[in-house]
Amino acid sequence: MPLEGPARIVRELTSRGYNAEREAVTLIASAEEPGALLERVVDTVPEGALVVEAGHVRTALEAGVDRSPVAPDGRHGSGPDEHPFTSSATGPTDSPEAGETGEYAGKRAPVETTDGAGVDRSAGGGAERSARGRAGRSTGGTFERSGDPSLRSLEVAGDMTGASTGTGEYRDFVAVFRDRLERLGAKLRGRVNHRPATAIERMPGGSEVAMVGLVNDVRSTASGHWLVELEDATGTFPWLVMKDREYTDLVEELLFDEALAMEGTLADDSGIAFVDAMYFPDVPRTHEPSTADRHVQAALISDVHVGSQEFMEDAWNAFADWLHSEPARHVEYLLIAGDMVEGVGVYPNQDEELDIVDVYEQYEAFNEHLKAVPGDLEIVMIPGNHDAVRLAEPQPGFDDRLRGIMSAHDARIVSNPSTVTIEGVSVLMYHGVSLDEVIAELPAEKASYDEPHRAMYQLLKKRHVAPQFGGHTRLAPEERDYLVIEEVPDVFHTGHVHKLGFGKYHNVLAINSGCWQAQTDFQKSVNIDPDSGYAPIVDLDTLEVTVQKFT
Ligand code: D5M
Ligand code: FE
Ligand code: ZN
């Protein structure tokens, strides 16, 4: 591609992370082979240089005669058409934040007792499991569930069931991203003296500038710096994060389309800014969670996968029996974060592992299993990617036919995601498909299957349950971005990755709840070792967690 004019040369250098002196650009433009010379300049510019100077061009011109990468046919060897960048966002960095306490992951300590209530919780239903049948009620028990039902309260916010406006057209995508930028931008605009992208371009070189936008691109430059392109309603602007700055660590956390604020110094030609500070919408460190006024507990589960040959019926029955028993007398709420059933046609060759092949029969069976849990629990359910609702997020709650089938305990059926507030404690429920993406994109110490709650911390920091569009997570464009985490929740509950893990991020309790499905062939093939048959139980008065094991 010919490098005909200075503007094209400046763009080319900028795209590789370089600013350039005007004289340097003039020298390149007036060369016989500007493209080849630009390649030589980039090859010979000193390591770490950010600005291409006239001197660098002269050196390249002198060196060019014998070290020329120009091929005999006059074309240069590594042309500007080739993608000069490596891909983004992997590499070692620190953990996101300090201040996480009481972390737990997987099977290191499968059963914990932290409430000191004098109840033996160690066996999780083993010893005190009664001889009742699956659908039994508290026949042998002499206890009553602790609470006076009139003390209970459960409210739902952010349920978009029945409110879908999207038609999947281009303007819907524009609307949903505009809404995201509006609402997450509002959390950032107070922190920086921001300007629109197009206004920044017109400011004099050397100015202190700031911008709020969505991440449009992240690339590493040939010299090891990072170029982050932010987009706002007016356009895009490139921000250069230098490799020796503290912020390179944060660049590795970035996902496309997340909201961010950058602060920095404009280069001389105002074509790029050098980053001095970076801000995420984040959860304030001062966040103080609400708690219930009495000792009451919620069981947080997900990924039941009824209909799969690997559905662990015995573990489920043990859980249901435990819920009927005296040690579970404070458990008055049951939250189920998606994948009620295994579904059909979710993954290739899934039918080979189905126990029930008809999806409605799967829901009938799920309903039978739901009947096994006490009828006086308040139950909330959201769908997951195996459920029979649209796959794109936000996912509306189950339709009338499925509600009719899952009628056992008059469960509250709401969208994925939704926020339920139980006796003052807000719980953001989200199935968790984006966690696969966060785990794939970020360095292992920031997000891994063994510590799924750390991946959840990233979503809290980005204040969005599924930031990246166009990858693994499907997004349904709506007028409103329902996936924005507008209010800080007290508890964040996800599932999907089938790994149990929890911890606190800026005082928000993040819990990934494990599953009720044993390892599938697919999981074996990719070395996913699921945490099956565990139920984390949250004390709503203290936000402490105990884990009950049922295998
Ligand atoms: O997802 C359970 C976990 O396993 C989640 O981390 C995705 C991953 N998984 C399971 N099957 C597949 C296939 N076939 N491809 C890619 N990733 C997969 P769940 O939603 O319960 O299936
Ligand atoms: Fe699942
Ligand atoms: Zn899932």
Side-chain angles (χ1 to χ4, degrees):
M1 190 182 292
L3 283 170
E4 54 300 294
R8 169 91 175 118
I9 290 164
V10 169
R11 262 207 309 282
E12 191 62 37
L13 288 169
T14 305
S15 77
R16 297 169 190 227
Y18 293 106
N19 188 17
E21 282 183 353
R22 192 154 303 168
E23 195 192 342
V25 175
T26 312
L27 277 172
I28 296 173
S30 57
E32 243 171 65
E33 286 271 356
L37 178 57
L38 184 137
E39 292 305 319
R40 274 204 304 281
V41 170
V42 170
D43 282 344
T44 54
V45 91
E47 239 245 304
L50 290 168
V51 177
V52 174
E53 297 164 8
H56 298 146
V57 181
R58 289 197 191 93
T59 309
L61 273 169
E62 281 155 24
V65 188
D66 15 349
R67 301 181 46 224
S68 170
V70 177
D73 66 357
R75 295 174 52 221
H76 42 78
S78 61
D81 281 350
E82 285 178 25
H83 206 291
F85 305 108
T86 58
S87 70
S88 67
T90 44
T93 41
D94 288 354
S95 82
E97 307 291 334
E100 302 128 8
T101 55
E103 287 208 19
Y104 170 96
K107 297 178 174 116
R108 279 207 304 271
V111 178
E112 294 193 349
T113 302
T114 59
D115 66 355
V119 183
D120 175 20
R121 300 178 160 250
S122 60
E128 60 269 11
R129 194 176 307 163
S130 76
R132 280 173 296 103
R134 274 186 11 219
R137 291 294 176 272
S138 46
T139 45
T142 53
F143 78 97
E144 286 180 10
R145 216 153 277 288
S146 58
D148 169 355
S150 71
L151 294 176
R152 294 182 182 178
S153 71
L154 195 157
E155 286 146 35
V156 176
D159 177 16
M160 51 70 67
T161 309
S164 179
T165 55
T167 56
E169 285 173 26
Y170 176 75
R171 62 191 151 89
D172 293 332
F173 286 95
V174 174
V176 80
F177 281 111
R178 184 167 298 158
D179 183 60
R180 178 184 302 191
L181 181 60
E182 245 344 282
R183 287 158 63 214
L184 290 179
K187 301 184 189 304
L188 293 161
R189 286 188 194 104
R191 292 193 244 163
V192 293
N193 187 14
H194 65 99
R195 294 276 176 276
T198 46
I200 291 175
E201 284 166 3
R202 292 193 300 266
M203 290 170 74
S207 306
E208 295 296 313
V209 288
M211 179 179 166
V212 171
L214 303 181
V215 173
N216 194 46
D217 200 5
V218 183
R219 295 170 294 187
S220 68
T221 71
S223 41
H225 307 299
W226 292 95
L227 200 67
V228 180
E229 196 171 79
L230 285 190
E231 178 165 11
D232 67 14
T234 69
T236 64
F237 195 80
W239 293 80
L240 194 75
V241 181
M242 283 179 268
K243 64 182 171 195
D244 48 352
R245 300 297 297 267
E246 58 188 301
Y247 293 103
T248 48
D249 179 50
L250 294 179
V251 171
E252 296 175 326
E253 290 181 5
L254 296 183
L255 293 178
F256 291 147
D257 309 318
E258 70 172 286
L260 210 60
M262 296 279 208
E263 220 168 32
T265 314
L266 261 188
D268 290 346
D269 71 349
S270 304
I272 194 167
F274 305 108
V275 173
D276 296 321
M278 224 159 109
Y279 303 88
F280 293 83
D282 221 325
V283 173
R285 287 172 178 281
T286 51
H287 174 68
E288 285 183 28
S290 304
T291 51
D293 294 336
R294 62 185 182 119
H295 183 53
V296 58
Q297 296 177 314
L300 273 50
I301 64 165
S302 65
D303 299 274
V304 192
H305 289 266
V306 172
S308 159
Q309 287 168 13
E310 284 82 18
F311 167 58
M312 295 171 67
E313 186 168 357
D314 291 346
W316 179 268
N317 289 337
F319 172 51
D321 284 345
W322 175 78
L323 286 172
H324 281 284
S325 73
E326 204 274 341
R329 70 188 184 284
H330 296 295
V331 180
E332 297 186 34
Y333 299 91
L334 173 64
L335 308 186
I336 314 179
D339 286 0
M340 313 295 147
V341 300
E342 174 66 8
V344 293
V346 181
Y347 292 124
N349 303 322
Q350 187 201 20
D351 47 330
E352 289 162 21
E353 293 190 62
L354 285 183
D355 186 32
I356 304 171
V357 296
D358 180 277
V359 75
Y360 291 104
E361 285 175 28
Q362 292 180 359
Y363 282 102
E364 303 272 5
F366 172 77
N367 192 51
E368 290 307 306
H369 290 296
L370 200 58
K371 283 181 187 164
V373 308
D376 57 357
L377 290 182
E378 306 291 334
I379 302 175
V380 182
M381 305 197 289
I382 63 168
N385 58 313
H386 282 250
D387 286 300
V389 303
R390 79 168 182 209
L391 194 53
E393 297 175 7
Q395 296 180 286
F398 299 105
D399 67 16
D400 289 345
R401 179 169 178 188
L402 293 173
R403 283 169 199 256
I405 295 173
M406 292 184 281
S407 57
H409 294 319
D410 201 19
R412 287 292 289 270
I413 289 174
V414 293
S415 63
N416 169 39
S418 282
T419 299
V420 291
T421 300
I422 311 170
E423 303 199 18
V425 179
S426 63
V427 183
L428 171 59
M429 296 177 70
Y430 169 61
H431 177 60
V433 169
S434 70
L435 295 172
D436 283 330
E437 215 156 44
V438 174
I439 289 167
E441 300 270 338
L442 268 59
E445 64 278 11
K446 296 195 175 190
S448 68
Y449 285 109
D450 285 335
E451 295 185 305
H453 50 288
R454 289 185 172 274
M456 297 172 74
Y457 297 170
Q458 292 290 334
L459 300 179
L460 288 167
K461 184 170 179 176
K462 300 174 192 314
R463 295 290 288 269
H464 200 283
V465 298
Q468 189 155 299
F469 171 71
H472 192 62
T473 317
R474 290 173 211 212
L475 177 76
E478 301 284 351
E479 273 165 23
R480 181 181 168 83
D481 188 349
Y482 290 96
L483 308 177
V484 164
I485 305 176
E486 180 86 54
E487 306 288 335
V488 178
D490 302 317
V491 181
F492 183 24
H493 174 204
T494 60
H496 180 64
V497 296
H498 293 206
K499 298 296 278 186
L500 175 64
F502 59 83
K504 282 191 179 159
Y505 176 73
H506 297 185
N507 297 324
V508 178
L509 174 61
I511 300 190
N512 194 283
S513 52
C515 64
W516 301 87
Q517 183 185 38
Q519 193 181 45
T520 62
D521 283 349
F522 169 81
Q523 290 166 346
K524 199 175 290 171
S525 75
V526 295
N527 253 332
I528 298 178
D529 181 18
D531 292 326
S532 316
Y534 295 88
I537 311 294
V538 180
D539 284 359
L540 296 172
D541 50 338
T542 61
L543 300 189
E544 278 176 33
V545 180
T546 53
V547 176
Q548 298 295 329
K549 184 177 188 297
F550 297 101
T551 49

